[in-house]
């Protein structure tokens, strides 16, 4: 028996990811400086979640990929 997907929750989670990711994609190729490894990992997870979520404004965004790649490089 499958559990129905809570679309309202998914939209809310995508919106939260967008709010956190939006400032990170303004300069997607810029290497983050002075950010701890835990914060870098959190940013990468947020960017990937936004990229993958169909409810995100950053769904499929090349800027999200570039920002995640820059953060991974710093990590």
């Amino acid at each position: 028996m499958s559990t129905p997907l809570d679309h309202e929750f998914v939209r809310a989670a995508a919106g939260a990811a967008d709010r956190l990711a939006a400032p990170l994609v303004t300069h997607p190729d810029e290497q983050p400086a002075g950010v701890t490894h835990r914060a870098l990992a959190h940013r990468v997870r947020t960017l990937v979640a936004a990229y993958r979520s169909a409810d995100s404004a950053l769904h499929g965004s090349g800027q999200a990929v570039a920002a995640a790649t820059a953060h991974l490089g710093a990590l």
Side-chain angles (χ1 to χ4, degrees):
M1 182 166 139
S2 66
T3 304
L5 184 62
D6 184 346
H7 294 285
E8 184 178 336
F9 174 79
V10 171
R11 281 190 297 276
D18 284 349
R19 285 188 296 281
L20 293 171
L24 304 176
V25 299
T26 56
H27 303 287
D29 297 322
E30 189 174 290
Q31 284 283 329
V35 181
T36 68
H37 70 282
R38 290 182 191 269
L40 287 167
H42 183 265
R43 288 178 177 190
V44 170
R45 287 192 310 266
T46 300
L47 287 159
V48 170
Y51 173 83
R52 293 286 298 145
S53 175
D55 292 306
S56 171
L58 294 171
H59 176 68
S61 165
Q63 286 181 303
V65 171
T69 301
H71 281 75
L72 283 170
L75 186 60

